[in-house]
Amino acid sequence: MLFAVLSIFVGAALAPLVVRLLGRASGWVLALLPLGVFAYFAQTLPEVAHGEALRHSYAWVPSLDTPLSFYLDGLSLLFALLVTGIGTLIVVYAGGYLAHHHQLGRFYTQLLAFMGAMLGLVVADNVFVFFIFFELTSLTSFLLIGFYHTEEESRRAARKALIVTGGGGLALLAGLILLGSVAGTWEFSQMLDLGATVQGHPYYLAIFVLVCAGAFTKSAQFPFHFWLPAAMAGPTPVSAYLHSATMVKAGVFLLARLHPVLGGTTVWASTLGIVGGFTMLMSAWLALRYTDLKQILAYTTVMVLGLLTLLLGIGTKTAIKAMVTFTVVHALYKGGLFMMAGSIDHETGTRDLLELGGLRGAMPWTMAGGVATGLSMAGIPPLFGFIGKEVTYEAALHGGPWGPLILGAGVLANAALVGSGLLVGLKPFIGELKGAFTRDPHEAPVSMWGGPLVLGVLGLAFGVYPAFIDHSLLQAARAGILQESAELHLALWHGINLPLIASLVTFALGAALYAYWEGLRETVFMTGLGTLFGQGPGRVFERGLYAVSSLSHTVTRLVQNGRFRWYLFATFSAILVLVGGGFLVEESPLVFSLGGGVPDVEYYEVGLAGLIIASAVVAVRTHDRFVAILALSVGGYGVALLYMLFGAPDLAMTQFAVETLTLILLVIVIVHLPGIQGEESLGIRLRDGLVAIGCGGLLTLIMSVIVQTPLNLRISRYMAQASYTEAEGHNIVNVILVDFRALDTMGEITVLAIAAIGVYVLMRMPRQEKPELTTEASPEDRAAEGDATGT
């Protein structure tokens, strides 16, 4: 499994080269990579379907007991096949959609990296490996959504997605750490049998809340749903992949994976039921408010995510059966419909439903795929969407005392879904050809209509003969969630029963919504719904960002005022208050017990101390920068002599070298600076003096306490013993720098290298002529002067 994941990332790295060599045909070649990975996972289906879970583990960070482990059961296999299978079609589609884009290579790199991250997420076993891939999907989706980076809308949408999902990811990290600590293991596969232990722990509620924060933000549950429709600013291949098989389902996958560990409690059922149910009902009707094909599809995706969350909250065998079934149903029709919408936009110049119609003659193949997937979204038999809708109604009926309410909400939501499916999959192709197109309508290339047609055919095949996947893939996926195997059977016809009656009511309501859509979307109810739940959360988010930005500007104006004296005063005052206050509170008994006798010192030590103090006084009082630098150097050399006197010649030599080099560099620079100008007021000098004396006194107290504290030589002894035997070095200091603290040293070298590069770039920049000074006031100055004088 590791090599399957890594191969996708290798393909991402090589994608620009493939595009450069093959041009427009690169999509077909690059698609062979996810197709091969799909075949690899598909060949494991017989083994997984018989209840065998595959686990591969590789040593990664053994000192922290963190392996690079992967786990493949029915649930992860279902998502792995969706990620790679639909990903193959998306890669081909992107080659046609962005055929003439000059950054197609960059797009493929980002798309394949996103695919690799999602694939790693669904097969990861170790919680830290899972989290890395979880956050990598947020980062790569940020790049994909903001692919049109010259457009403000794309940049804003990408930022919104990253902040929302990234913030939820931080909460998830805390939840996973708590979960691993409580369970006593960092492997999901080992946690699955520890549900009773975790649910009985006092930290269960905290773990549940933090995990839900990560899952709800990732899968766009209310009130975090607003980022997903905004993400439609990205290219259509991104939208199709994001919504059908990848990141938006990552949160649902997380909840499904942890269902045996966290599920089955009252708080689990009520939270997922309320949040998922409200998200489902709200977003289904919000979709009818819009005319943009991608916006309609985006809100219906939120609706399905809410439905899947609701089904996980119900948690019965029938509900989990409906959840895994509808996951496949949604992936098939939503991927096809997004690709169809992109083809229409690509070949006509618009995706506004009010401007579309009559495209059946110009785009027959696109119509075939669009109608098939649209009718599956509407749940029309014999397509797979009909079976998916039937099993969700069956799950609602088995939902306990809340079953009738869940069924009613499901009928209302699915009725809106029927209307949206007919609007998107049927309306652009029927009626008269309209003349509002910016381009002459024509059929898209096969790379663009092939994907929707394949997914439409699969939806029809699974609907007519569900035995293709029910006893194998779907049954194994349900067993992966429930951790118990039971037969899963799907059928197109179950006889006349309550779910069928609910379906007929749904069809009737959906057909009415489709027929009266144009008038309905302008009603007060729909307008208010769009304002409150469509634009409202997004506006709150943007205003929150603006408030944070305004606060940061205010703080910056107060703190970063351009006066170095103020920076020093603020820094040392904070040290004095925070460090000094805490030190006195914690160490006050030891401070007040310090001995008061006269120390045993030599006359030359007193002389050196006096020299250091005198140099500091001269540096503070002089108005000549050169004299100040010399005085500071005298103090530095005095400190070096003290090091030598107290038995640290190596430290003294280092201090001598640093002081000499610093003196030379400062003298070279100082001759180009003017003298110290002006004199601060007595109050400011007293203030600065008190802060300086306070910091000096605090440091003296700290050092006095340190020297009276017994030394713990355990680390020193270890370094002395291991320097030669393990690092093969005689100089302990050198070994510390290059072995024990190697990463720290590398970081310091990196910082210095970056600074050197910056200096080099500045030195290579052409000199700019200094503008001539003029006595004539600028228009801004004259306006300011007029404001000040009242004229």
Side-chain angles (χ1 to χ4, degrees), residues 181-323:
S181 300
V182 170
T185 177
W186 303 106
E187 307 296 309
F188 284 126
S189 58
Q190 298 174 13
M191 291 181 188
L192 299 179
D193 297 326
L194 301 174
T197 302
V198 175
Q199 294 173 21
H201 198 277
Y203 287 166
Y204 169 74
L205 184 59
I207 294 170
F208 173 73
V209 170
L210 292 170
V211 168
C212 282
F216 288 172
T217 51
K218 203 76 161 184
S219 287
Q221 297 300 287
F222 178 84
F224 308 108
H225 64 283
F226 57 88
W227 73 265
L228 190 54
M232 297 304 97
T236 298
V238 176
S239 304
Y241 199 37
L242 196 74
H243 285 246
S244 61
T246 52
M247 191 177 84
V248 297
K249 287 194 173 75
V252 172
F253 173 83
L254 173 64
L255 294 174
R257 172 57 73 211
L258 293 179
H259 183 275
V261 185
L262 304 178
T265 63
T266 302
V267 66
W268 170 279
S270 57
T271 302
L272 269 60
I274 293 172
V275 174
F278 182 78
T279 302
M280 172 189 72
L281 194 57
M282 169 205 69
S283 53
W285 284 81
L286 265 178
L288 298 173
R289 177 74 182 87
Y290 296 91
T291 63
D292 185 290
L293 290 175
K294 288 178 66 173
Q295 286 293 318
I296 295 173
L297 291 173
Y299 277 106
T300 56
T301 295
V302 178
M303 176 266 174
V304 172
L305 295 173
L307 172 62
L308 298 179
T309 303
L310 170 63
L311 292 171
L312 284 169
I314 297 173
T316 62
K317 289 183 180 180
T318 307
I320 302 303
K321 167 186 172 182
M323 181 263 166

Side-chain angles (χ1 to χ4, degrees), residues 544-567:
L545 282 185
Y546 178 77
V548 171
S549 178
S550 300
L551 177 62
S552 68
H553 282 295
T554 302
V555 173
T556 301
R557 284 195 299 269
L558 291 174
V559 178
Q560 300 289 334
N561 55 15
R563 300 183 63 198
F564 188 62
R565 177 190 291 269
W566 165 254
Y567 299 158

Side-chain angles (χ1 to χ4, degrees), residues 363-525:
M363 307 180 72
W365 290 108
T366 301
M367 175 185 173
V371 170
T373 51
L375 293 180
S376 184
M377 176 176 168
I380 306 298
L383 294 158
F384 199 36
F386 173 76
I387 297 178
K389 180 166 51 57
E390 290 279 290
V391 292
T392 59
Y393 288 161
E394 183 183 355
L397 291 174
H398 292 83
W402 296 100
L405 179 62
I406 296 173
L407 180 61
V411 169
L412 290 175
N414 276 296
L417 195 65
V418 170
S420 297
L422 296 175
L423 286 171
V424 175
L426 193 62
K427 194 175 188 303
F429 303 103
I430 62 175
E432 298 297 326
L433 188 66
K434 298 185 178 180
F437 305 128
T438 58
R439 304 169 193 157
D440 291 333
H442 57 280
E443 185 57 272
V446 63
S447 59
M448 295 178 66
W449 58 255
L453 196 59
V454 169
L455 295 176
V457 170
L458 286 176
L460 179 61
F462 292 160
V464 173
Y465 190 66
F468 278 130
I469 58 171
D470 62 353
H471 290 300
S472 54
L473 182 60
L474 297 184
Q475 182 172 304
R478 185 178 69 173
I481 298 175
L482 294 176
Q483 291 299 295
E484 58 178 90
S485 182
E487 184 179 0
L488 189 152
H489 177 70
L490 297 176
L492 187 63
W493 175 253
H494 288 279
I496 300 176
N497 51 22
L498 192 54
L500 178 63
I501 296 173
S503 294
L504 294 177
V505 174
T506 301
F507 294 148
L509 290 175
L513 292 174
Y514 171 74
Y516 298 102
W517 168 72
E518 292 192 30
L520 174 68
R521 60 177 297 272
E522 298 296 342
T523 60
V524 175
F525 169 75

Side-chain angles (χ1 to χ4, degrees), residues 4 8 31 33-42 77-91 115 118-119 241 245-246:
I8 301 294
L33 178 59
L35 182 61
V37 177
F38 174 85
Y40 164 77
F41 282 107
L77 178 60
L78 170 63
F79 278 85
L81 292 175
L82 291 177
V83 169
T84 54
I86 295 182
T88 300
L89 300 177
I90 296 296
V91 170
M115 184 187 300
M118 190 64 200
L119 182 61
Y241 199 37
T246 52

Side-chain angles (χ1 to χ4, degrees), residues 82 211 334 403 557 562 571 715 734 739:
L82 291 177
V211 168
K334 190 55 63 71
R557 284 195 299 269
T571 301
I715 296 178
N734 291 347
D739 282 281

Side-chain angles (χ1 to χ4, degrees), residues 630-699:
L630 290 178
L632 289 176
S633 296
V634 170
Y637 286 123
V639 172
L641 290 173
L642 284 177
Y643 290 155
M644 184 172 293
L645 290 175
F646 284 93
D650 54 343
L651 190 58
M653 294 305 298
T654 303
Q655 179 77 4
F656 278 126
V658 170
E659 285 296 335
T660 303
L661 182 61
T662 303
L663 176 61
I664 294 172
L665 292 176
L666 287 176
V667 168
I668 292 174
V669 174
I670 212 74
V671 297
H672 300 288
L673 297 178
I676 301 175
Q677 303 294 324
E679 182 76 23
E680 296 291 349
S681 66
L682 179 61
I684 292 179
R685 283 185 289 164
L686 288 175
R687 180 201 67 183
D688 294 347
L690 288 174
V691 172
I693 293 172
C695 287
L698 174 63
L699 184 59

